[in-house]
Amino acid sequence: MVSFFSLLLCSIMALVGSSFLLSVADGKLVRTMDNDWSSWQDAHATFYGDKSGKDTMQGACGYGDLFKQGYGLQTAALSTALFYNGLTCGACFELKCVDDPNWKFCYPGVAPIQITATNFCPPNPAGGACNPPMKHFDLSMPMFLKMAPYKAGIVHVQYRRVTCVKQGGVKFEIKGNPNWILVLPYNVGGAGDVKNVRVQGSGDWIQMQRNWGQNWQTNVELVGQSLSFQVVTSDGAYRVFRNVVPANWQFGQTFDSNINF
């Protein structure tokens, strides 16, 4: 998502690095979480869409109707430095508006807002707030307006990771066809961003592969079998969701596990 204000001159932006540590393992670049979630990091924030939030639906994380899925308007599209190819989808952040000396628009005395990462703010070849290495949050308009007026357009913020507190259990949406199953786990509490999923039908546990965003896939035929899931979030928390999907499941259905992290 690219808002008009995301394209403001980079001269008003602070150049900041990634909120995640990058390391090399087996020849591949791997993201690891910052150990200290309590530390505030510098970034900037804009907004996209209107007050209805309709333009924030769907998106690069694979979520759909954010109202039905429990995320509402408390969401943001992240820049490359934070999105990290979708690995951060589902993570929760706390943001507070901080006035720059020459750009003072923050409402005084406003409590920090909390959002979930549900979309990607792509870089712009012409230059913009979401270009690497910028750390940037493109918020829904209602969330931005909690911190600053519309005319501000862009504000300096500080952010930190926080625990996701969700209502109800982790939900599993199943799409695909008999030869290819795509599963979207959402409404995930705790760290919020899922780093591994395994599925079990009537046989052994099957390792699923990330397709895009938070969609996970397998080519193993599982139609007509009750399904269980193992889910691991980025902080290493592990949950087994046993027989959450009955044997008569159909593509396009969503199932509530009634348990969460």
Side-chain angles (χ1 to χ4, degrees), residues 98-232:
V98 180
D99 277 329
D100 285 325
N102 299 316
W103 198 258
K104 297 183 178 181
F105 284 101
C106 299
Y107 292 137
V110 175
I113 63 170
Q114 291 192 5
I115 57 91
T116 302
T118 59
N119 208 348
F120 176 49
C121 183
N124 188 299
C130 289
N131 287 11
M134 306 293 190
K135 293 190 291 186
H136 192 85
F137 295 84
D138 208 11
L139 304 168
S140 68
M141 182 188 288
M143 295 308 292
F144 183 90
L145 295 180
K146 288 180 179 292
M147 300 189 300
Y150 178 92
K151 65 180 181 180
I154 185 170
V155 292
H156 173 218
V157 297
Q158 290 186 326
Y159 76 93
R160 61 185 177 186
R161 283 287 301 265
V162 293
T163 299
C164 297
V165 179
K166 303 300 182 184
Q167 298 296 316
V170 175
K171 297 176 176 61
F172 298 88
E173 181 181 3
I174 303 179
K175 295 176 284 189
N177 59 59
N179 302 310
W180 175 73
I181 295 176
L182 191 69
V183 176
L184 172 69
Y186 67 89
N187 197 52
V188 180
D193 46 348
V194 175
K195 75 172 185 179
N196 194 48
V197 178
R198 301 176 75 195
V199 61
Q200 183 183 49
S202 57
D204 296 331
W205 286 101
I206 300 164
Q207 178 64 52
M208 303 192 78
Q209 304 299 319
R210 185 188 299 272
N211 184 293
W212 63 282
Q214 278 299 348
N215 284 290
W216 296 77
Q217 68 179 20
T218 180
N219 293 324
V220 177
E221 295 184 18
L222 294 170
V223 174
Q225 301 175 43
S226 176
L227 304 181
S228 300
F229 294 96
Q230 295 176 355
V231 175
V232 182

Side-chain angles (χ1 to χ4, degrees), residues 4-122:
F4 169 78
F5 296 111
S6 295
L7 304 179
L8 291 179
L9 294 176
C10 295
S11 58
I12 66 173
M13 307 292 290
L15 292 178
V16 287
S18 173
S19 63
F20 301 106
L21 304 177
L22 302 182
S23 61
V24 177
D26 298 326
K28 296 181 179 180
L29 199 61
V30 178
R31 183 199 68 170
T32 57
M33 293 289 299
D34 284 340
N35 291 327
D36 185 7
W37 279 23
S38 64
S39 296
W40 290 96
Q41 307 288 330
D42 289 312
H44 286 82
T46 50
F47 63 87
Y48 66 107
D50 58 21
K51 289 185 178 180
S52 72
K54 62 183 179 181
D55 292 328
T56 66
M57 302 297 113
Q58 310 297 325
C61 287
Y63 304 124
D65 187 326
L66 299 177
F67 293 109
K68 292 181 179 179
Q69 292 175 335
Y71 298 107
L73 296 175
Q74 294 74 42
T75 62
L78 307 186
S79 63
T80 301
L82 295 172
F83 188 72
Y84 207 71
N85 294 325
L87 295 181
T88 317
C89 290
C92 296
F93 297 85
E94 187 173 46
L95 278 67
K96 60 181 179 181
C97 190
V98 180
D99 277 329
D100 285 325
N102 299 316
W103 198 258
K104 297 183 178 181
F105 284 101
C106 299
Y107 292 137
V110 175
I113 63 170
Q114 291 192 5
I115 57 91
T116 302
T118 59
N119 208 348
F120 176 49
C121 183

